[in-house]
Amino acid sequence: QAILAQASARTRRTSSILPRFATMGVQLSSLLNCANAIVGIGSAFRALQLLRQLPPGAVVPVKFGFWGEVMNSWDGRLAYLVYPCISLSIAFAPAITRLTSREPKVPNWVRDAQAFGTVMECMTGGALLATGALIAACTEQVPKIVNREQDALKPEWLTKAYLATLGGLYVTGYIWARRAAS
């Protein structure tokens, strides 16, 4: 009976926390969407400013390795426009997704589809923000690489930190979803 009483008390505490959890999740999701828009639009404007500094025959890096080294490049200064395009895609992705998507399918173990959706929106927002920050760093550093002022993305741990951030977000999202939605 003592074990049942402890389990019942734990269930009451958890159920009183979940509505606050959902409210905080919606607020966090909105905050992440605003941050994505600011980073994406700001990075796109900065890219358009930096485009003028590139020489007409520039070879623009578009793919970077684990250590930030250039893996692939495209010819022509207009190839640099890939960075503002990606930035704007990231900035407007949450709004476009909301306008065009249907009701998402949820896994069988999910009992609270709304809580699950909130967790997934937060994790998507976090991943978009991390990706937007990486693209912003690339946007700023690619002209320096083109002009041979540097040979790779700096600091050299940038891509590793990005990947670790994504991994942390996904693990956190899994744990949060399991607790909030099941």
Side-chain angles (χ1 to χ4, degrees):
Q1 285 183 339
I3 293 173
L4 287 174
Q6 287 177 344
S8 176
R10 194 172 336 139
T11 302
R12 276 188 303 238
R13 275 186 302 208
T14 304
S15 63
S16 69
I17 291 172
L18 288 180
R20 287 183 288 176
F21 220 27
T23 302
M24 286 178 13
V26 170
Q27 291 171 344
L28 178 60
S29 176
S30 297
L31 182 65
L32 287 169
N33 289 341
C34 289
N36 285 327
I38 291 167
V39 169
I41 293 169
S43 179
F45 279 122
R46 180 66 178 145
L48 294 177
Q49 288 176 337
L50 293 171
L51 177 64
R52 288 181 250 156
Q53 297 175 7
L54 297 176
V59 178
V60 178
V62 292
K63 180 179 175 184
F64 299 93
F66 196 62
W67 301 97
E69 73 277 14
V70 176
M71 302 290 288
N72 193 7
S73 299
W74 293 346
D75 291 334
R77 108 183 190 172
L78 293 180
Y80 184 70
L81 291 175
V82 73
Y83 293 102
C85 290
I86 292 171
S87 295
L88 290 174
S89 297
I90 289 170
F92 295 113
I96 292 169
T97 302
R98 260 192 311 282
L99 292 173
T100 61
S101 66
R102 293 172 282 206
E103 191 66 30
K105 294 180 182 176
V106 296
N108 294 334
W109 56 265
V110 173
R111 291 187 194 156
D112 186 346
Q114 184 178 7
F116 182 79
T118 300
V119 171
M120 292 301 102
E121 283 182 24
C122 288
M123 294 305 101
T124 301
L128 284 173
L129 184 58
T131 303
L134 178 67
I135 294 298
C138 292
T139 297
E140 194 65 37
Q141 294 183 40
V142 162
K144 293 176 185 172
I145 294 171
V146 168
N147 294 325
R148 303 196 190 286
E149 295 171 25
Q150 66 187 56
D151 60 348
L153 293 177
K154 303 290 184 204
E156 71 177 27
W157 48 262
L158 182 65
T159 53
K160 292 181 282 225
Y162 167 71
L163 294 172
T165 299
L166 288 184
L169 280 168
Y170 294 139
V171 168
T172 301
Y174 176 80
I175 293 168
W176 187 13
R178 281 292 187 175
R179 288 183 171 223
S182 63

